Amino acid sequence: MTASPKPEAVARDEYEGLVTELVATYERPYRALLLAGVVIFLAFGLREIAIYGDRAGPVLLMRGGFAAGLLLLALLARRFRGEAALWLGVAYLGLFATGICATAALSPNGWVMHALAGLSMLVVAFGPLWPRPRLFVAGTVALLLPPLAMLWLIAAPGPTWLDYVSYLSVAACVAYLLFRLSQGLSIRDYRLRRELLRRADSDALTGVLNRAGWGSRAEQLMDVARQSALPLVMLYLDLDHFKQVNDRYGHATGDEVLERAALAIRSTLREQDLVARLGGEEFVVMLPGASIEQALAVAERIRLRVSEANAAVRITLSGGLAAWDRVESLDDLMHRADLAMIEAKRAGRNRVVAAD
Ligand SMILES: Nc1nc2c(ncn2[C@@H]2O[C@H](COP(=O)(O)OP(=O)(O)OP(=O)(O)O)[C@@H](O)[C@H]2O)c(=O)[nH]1
């Protein structure tokens, strides 16, 4: 069946494919950047300990904690792609940036550097949460400020070049996380778009295609049948006296009957068949590659299964079927199947009639 809920599975496959493609393209250089950043950052910490032996504890805690946090985040981002990675990244960068901003006040030598790095990271971290994406772009630009500040500081007396390498390594790590964040964002957009498309095409109650989704897919199947010279049969199905079910058992029970009917129809069809609910208690089915005899057998099976599934309310189904003459339009084919269904109603309901 091409009908829902299959589109969800298709969306998931496409989404996974997209992620794999993205990761394959960018993962390696960014991972190398992250590892290099963490190693340099830690090496600089060892140098700091050698110089300021008395500050070994806080230095180890700060540098080790940050490096471990980044690595853990990278691992989690691998494990929980998309949104979870996004929120983790935002939270972590936000925390870290706040720490750097606080350090700026205590750092006699590199306070400009600390302040810029902290502020730019704050913008980058919380930019994605802002309704205006321009802020996110501004944050990315702001990330370029620390290296610029380094160039400026290199010319001034104070920290050595090793300090700047250390800060650059932070920028490298952040670049990796940015990559992950943007990946999470684009995946979230992609999923939302897919979900909206899926909802626009399917019937909210039964999950099968609605009228909008039916038209384009049915035309596609007809195109394929035209090119491959395969036969094609159309079924028009309508529950009998459905109004009485609503009147007797209530609208909620009526809805359940429709859901069970859709399930019974879908379970009878093959992967390549198409089913839609056109509205009310009317369903249409397209059977590509089926002969009229096979289609009659399928329609009979559907009729029995729909009744069995709704035995408690004793509902029956009338169906009409029409074999495509390879010339007529979709509307004309549906009309002929509809007329056959009306004929089935006239003949006493609970039966399937084939159009001439
Ligand atoms: N529960 C429920 N009822 C619906 C829905 N859509 C349409 N209906 C009802 O379906 C009923 C259709 O009634 P009719 O068109 O008279 O058809 P019928 O009673 O099945 O009679 P025949 O088709 O002649 O056998 C109406 O009472 C609608 O209110 C829905 O989504 N849920």
Side-chain angles (χ1 to χ4, degrees), residues 205 238-244 246 250-255 258 277 279-281 345 349:
L205 178 66
D238 191 289
L239 299 180
D240 297 327
H241 300 306
F242 182 64
K243 188 174 177 306
Q244 289 176 11
N246 273 339
H251 209 269
T253 304
D255 281 357
L258 289 172
R277 179 180 170 223
E281 80 291 22
K345 294 257 183 198
R349 294 183 168 80

Side-chain angles (χ1 to χ4, degrees), residues 69-83:
L70 279 177
L71 286 174
L72 188 68
L73 196 58
L75 279 177
L76 287 175
R78 275 182 79 80
R79 176 79 185 77
F80 307 103
R81 287 166 182 163
E83 268 183 76

